[in-house]
Amino acid sequence: VGNGYVASLARPGGNITGVALAVGEGFSGKWVELLKETVPKVSRMAVLRNPSHPVGEVFLRETQAAGRALGVRLQFFEARDLNQLDTALWRLEKEHDQALIVTPDPLFGTQRKRLFEVIERHRLPTIFHNKEFVDAGGLMSYGPSFPDSYRRAAVYVDKILKGAKPADLPVEQPKKFEFIINLKAAKQIGLTIPQKVLARADRVIK
């Protein structure tokens, strides 16, 4: 809506509709909460973000609010492109924060290997937004279930092929969220995941 692709979620008004994978209000504060539960003594967290991301300001506002509520100081590292990411990672390594949040952005996905190198070198408990990072060796993720969204998108295809107008089909927000933990990654950075956190996970990689 903010970028003008649709007039509103309820009435898109044009030729675009479907299931949104970009999560909006009421979501990103969970990254701070889950990291704090996983590492209760943490008092400083780094947040890697692209300020140009369509929902970037929402991520910023909600993580700041969660940090204040939990007594955690957040330091933001911004990157819009590869050059800025080089600088952000260099600064991140100098600051010695105790945990890391990697917010959603295609740039960070394409540079996953470089992120993992920094994370492993500094033994940083890190949370990501989707399971692809965890399947590749990251510690944990919390975000919308892509397979669930893909299945729901098929319903839109069916309706449109049968004559429905995209302008009249509401844009759906993600409904199912997944919390995934990788115990191999935890062992690699010398971290013991509390049992109460493991009990909340939808999937645990052993």
Side-chain angles (χ1 to χ4, degrees):
V1 175
N3 284 276
Y5 299 130
V6 296
S8 72
L9 297 182
R11 301 282 296 181
N15 203 34
I16 296 178
T17 190
V19 180
L21 293 178
V23 184
E25 303 284 343
F27 163 73
S28 41
K30 292 289 291 184
W31 299 323
V32 182
E33 294 174 20
L34 290 168
L35 267 182
K36 180 65 174 176
E37 287 185 30
T38 302
V39 193
K41 293 183 179 180
V42 71
S43 60
R44 302 189 321 276
M45 290 184 193
V47 181
L48 183 62
R49 66 184 292 264
N50 183 343
S52 300
H53 189 282
V55 199
E57 290 307 305
V58 175
F59 298 152
L60 175 66
R61 185 169 62 250
E62 292 191 348
T63 51
Q64 285 177 325
R68 286 192 296 269
L70 295 170
V72 176
R73 181 179 69 83
L74 300 182
Q75 184 162 353
F76 294 88
F77 299 84
E78 299 185 344
R80 294 177 174 85
D81 54 38
L82 283 175
N83 287 335
Q84 290 186 0
L85 182 61
D86 285 339
T87 302
L89 293 179
W90 180 82
R91 289 183 53 230
L92 176 62
E93 295 204 65
K94 298 294 183 183
E95 291 296 333
H96 303 295
D97 285 296
Q98 299 165 315
L100 172 65
I101 296 168
V102 178
T103 64
D105 195 81
L107 172 64
F108 307 147
T110 62
Q111 300 302 307
R112 188 167 58 202
K113 182 179 178 181
R114 295 175 62 201
L115 291 175
F116 283 176
E117 288 173 354
V118 172
I119 289 164
E120 291 170 11
R121 191 155 52 239
H122 295 276
R123 301 164 72 89
L124 276 173
T126 304
I127 191 165
F128 303 91
H129 69 286
N130 80 42
K131 71 182 188 68
E132 291 182 3
F133 285 89
V134 182
D135 288 338
L139 177 64
M140 61 174 64
S141 66
Y142 178 77
S145 168
F146 283 17
D148 180 68
S149 296
Y150 296 153
R151 284 190 291 269
R152 286 164 48 218
V155 175
Y156 280 80
V157 175
D158 180 63
K159 289 180 178 179
I160 292 170
L161 289 176
K162 290 178 178 177
K165 295 180 179 180
D168 299 329
L169 298 176
V171 176
E172 288 191 17
Q173 293 292 289
K175 293 181 179 178
K176 182 179 180 181
F177 293 82
E178 296 177 321
F179 177 38
I180 301 173
I181 298 173
N182 187 336
L183 291 182
K184 293 179 182 178
K187 184 177 181 180
Q188 197 165 17
I189 63 172
L191 176 67
T192 299
I193 306 290
Q195 196 60 42
K196 66 176 183 178
V197 176
L198 287 173
R200 295 181 59 183
D202 297 287
R203 181 160 69 97
V204 176
I205 299 173
K206 297 181 179 180

